Amino acid sequence: MTEAFDVVDVIRTKRDCQELSPEQIAWVIDAYTRGVVGDEQMAALNMAVFLNGMNRREIVDWTQAMINSGDKMSFDSLSKPTVDKHSTGGVGDKITLPLGPLVSSFGVAVPQLSGRGLGHTGGTLDKLESIPGWKAEVSNSRLMEILEDNGAVVAAAGAGLAPADKKIYALRDITATVDSIPLIASSIMSKKIAEGTSALVLDVKVGSGAFMKDLDQARELAQTMVDLGEDAGVRTRAVLSDMTIPLGRTIGNALEVREAVEVLAGGGPSDVVELTCALASDMLELAGMPDADVAAALQDGRAMDSWRAMISAQGGDPDAALPQAQHTHDICASQDGYITKLDALALGVGSWRLGAGRARKEDPVQATAGIEIHTGYGEKVSRGQKIVTLHTDTPDRFERAMEVITAGIDIGMEKPAERILIHERIY
Ligand code: URA
């Protein structure tokens, strides 16, 4: 087959800060998926995009080319509206776990097709896999059945959904080209648009533990994604939320499931409850229910019933005990004062070093590894009081984890400023 372009010309165009044509973009994404363009060439093009950016038209074309590389799903045959949520990834971010059942308890379908965690933020599938018997793989016909009956599903995205993104994301991960706004926006939105949800709420994280370290960058990423979604006919909005401090009191797979169940039982840490309720209200508003009382559904057991049905539908036992680490180690306060720093990135990397995350996509994760926070940001501590407990099945990991975690915690004499959890919404 004669190829329409020479890949070296395409790379040179972006290297020299020129605009890529729609035809060049469609061809290069397709040719890379077919294996005609090599990894080293796509890596060079990604780096040129990372350094020189893409304009709105190029981002739309790049996203569309990735959607065209695979299957498109449709939920049109369901009798209910669909609404999905995507988080750009945060430390201790277990919000998906209570959120899907909470929203589906109002008669809305929430099809969350997810990937596995890479790096310090952990993946939703890894968290749910700590529940005995639960399986992430669900056939398309079963997915539709569960959505119709119960409404909430968290499942592994099939290999057919935006395969170009899978290949390009794996390459970005090993070539320092992940944290680029056009590449992140097109990667996330190609999968969400191909998935076929009719509405989408994006939780764009801001701060040390997130891709976007400051509010301006997060705003730009959020607006780019909202525009991509709306242009493709998906009602889309974004919430910018804090990720300088971990969410909740736990980081790590089984530990986070435990905390999510506390929220579904009407308790749990206030930041997890606040963000879950805010995102649920946004999702239900997009689904046509602006007055839904989401806090009541957490208190009266409706969300918990929906969680139990969701876990059972995928082979899990919602009553089974969660696994516990064989080894723990406490880090205690060296002086009296207030916790003035509890750095999300440091604790995320620490949890990953304890075994909760993976370095390569084929690595296993420990269900039990992670961190429990006893004394949160802004709280008072006395010398000798426990701040965090580290959990792992492999105690030789404690030393390297402690190095990064202790550097991420500060105690000061003055109570620090209150955390702002939700910065703003982008429509
Ligand atoms: N999540 C994705 O799916 N893609 C990115 O590029 C970053 C986060």
Side-chain angles (χ1 to χ4, degrees):
M1 169 175 171
T2 317
E3 296 297 331
F5 292 93
D6 178 345
V7 65
V8 178
D9 289 337
V10 177
I11 299 168
R12 189 183 296 116
T13 303
K14 194 37 76 183
R15 185 201 66 186
D16 294 345
C17 301
Q18 306 293 313
E19 188 175 335
L20 295 170
S21 70
E23 294 77 19
Q24 280 179 314
I25 291 175
W27 174 79
V28 78
I29 301 282
D30 176 57
Y32 180 57
T33 313
R34 287 187 283 121
V36 169
V37 165
D39 282 346
E40 65 289 357
Q41 294 168 318
M42 196 66 202
L45 181 60
N46 284 336
M47 186 57 84
V49 170
F50 179 93
L51 295 171
N52 299 327
M54 287 199 284
N55 64 26
R56 179 160 176 188
R57 200 227 82 236
E58 289 173 295
I59 300 173
V60 170
D61 289 336
W62 191 280
T63 306
Q64 192 56 50
M66 296 214 286
I67 297 170
N68 292 347
S69 72
D71 308 331
K72 284 175 210 105
M73 294 179 64
S74 165
F75 298 115
D76 290 351
S77 62
L78 292 177
S79 64
K80 345 170 154 179
T82 49
V83 54
D84 197 359
K85 165 258 183 186
H86 182 86
S87 156
T88 57
V91 177
D93 184 3
K94 70 277 297 171
I95 300 289
T96 292
L97 274 45
L99 184 66
L102 173 58
V103 172
S104 73
S105 73
F106 287 86
V108 171
V110 188
Q112 305 217 72
L113 302 182
S114 219
R116 279 170 210 284
L118 260 184
H120 70 276
T121 58
T124 300
L125 301 182
D126 296 325
K127 293 171 199 187
L128 286 167
E129 276 171 349
S130 64
I131 300 173
W134 189 87
K135 294 277 175 294
E137 278 70 34
V138 176
S139 68
N140 275 358
S141 56
R142 181 74 185 126
L143 179 82
M144 297 302 271
E145 257 172 40
I146 305 174
L147 286 172
E148 190 62 55
D149 293 348
N150 175 41
V153 177
V154 181
L161 218 57
D165 174 63
K166 262 192 198 82
K167 215 173 154 188
I168 293 173
Y169 191 43
L171 190 62
R172 286 167 56 210
D173 202 46
I174 54 168
T175 54
T177 47
V178 170
D179 39 357
S180 143
I181 290 176
L183 294 178
I184 296 175
S186 53
S187 165
I188 291 174
M189 294 307 292
S190 64
K191 287 173 287 201
K192 291 295 159 188
I193 296 167
E195 175 195 285
T197 185
S198 41
L200 175 67
V201 174
L202 298 158
D203 180 10
V204 177
K205 303 289 189 193
V206 196
S208 71
F211 288 128
M212 299 296 118
K213 307 294 179 199
D214 68 53
L215 209 49
D216 283 344
Q217 285 179 322
R219 220 176 260 134
E220 187 184 335
L221 175 62
Q223 193 68 62
T224 308
M225 291 196 289
V226 168
D227 291 347
L228 282 170
E230 291 286 339
D231 286 355
V234 181
R235 290 189 302 282
T236 310
R237 86 168 48 158
V239 170
L240 306 189
S241 73
D242 176 66
M243 191 32 67
T244 53
I245 302 163
L247 262 177
R249 296 274 179 164
T250 58
I251 306 162
N253 301 311
L255 290 168
E256 292 193 39
V257 172
R258 190 186 77 192
E259 190 168 271
V261 172
E262 285 166 18
V263 171
L264 288 157
S270 59
D271 58 346
V272 180
V273 176
E274 183 185 339
L275 190 54
T276 301
C277 287
L279 294 169
S281 297
D282 277 316
M283 289 167 78
L284 288 164
E285 194 180 323
L286 290 181
M289 282 175 243
D291 301 320
D293 186 351
V294 293
L298 285 178
Q299 293 302 321
D300 65 18
R302 275 177 287 160
M304 179 65 99
D305 289 346
S306 182
W307 159 262
R308 294 175 64 81
M310 175 178 101
I311 298 304
S312 306
Q314 286 168 248
D317 177 356
D319 296 315
L322 291 165
Q324 291 198 0
Q326 290 162 30
H327 302 272
T328 59
H329 180 87
D330 297 331
I331 296 180
C332 299
S334 54
Q335 62 180 83
D336 295 349
Y338 293 93
I339 304 290
T340 52
K341 182 170 98 173
L342 196 61
D343 183 64
L345 179 61
L347 271 71
V349 172
S351 171
W352 180 72
R353 288 188 184 174
L354 288 165
R358 51 171 70 77
R360 290 169 308 164
K361 65 179 187 317
E362 52 284 354
D363 292 346
V365 295
Q366 286 185 24
T368 57
I371 303 173
E372 219 178 333
I373 300 166
H374 303 289
T375 318
Y377 171 80
E379 290 175 6
K380 221 171 177 169
V381 271
S382 312
R383 186 183 152 87
Q385 187 182 329
K386 269 197 277 188
I387 303 175
V388 293
T389 300
L390 318 189
H391 295 238
T392 186
D393 290 333
T394 40
D396 54 332
R397 292 171 177 263
F398 279 135
E399 197 177 324
R400 291 228 328 121
M402 274 174 56
E403 267 170 33
V404 64
I405 294 165
T406 49
I409 300 174
D410 275 347
I411 299 173
M413 293 318 293
E414 304 229 338
K415 193 171 165 59
E418 287 267 318
R419 170 196 209 177
I420 299 169
L421 181 63
I422 297 177
H423 293 286
E424 59 191 61
R425 285 182 170 74
I426 305 276
Y427 300 89

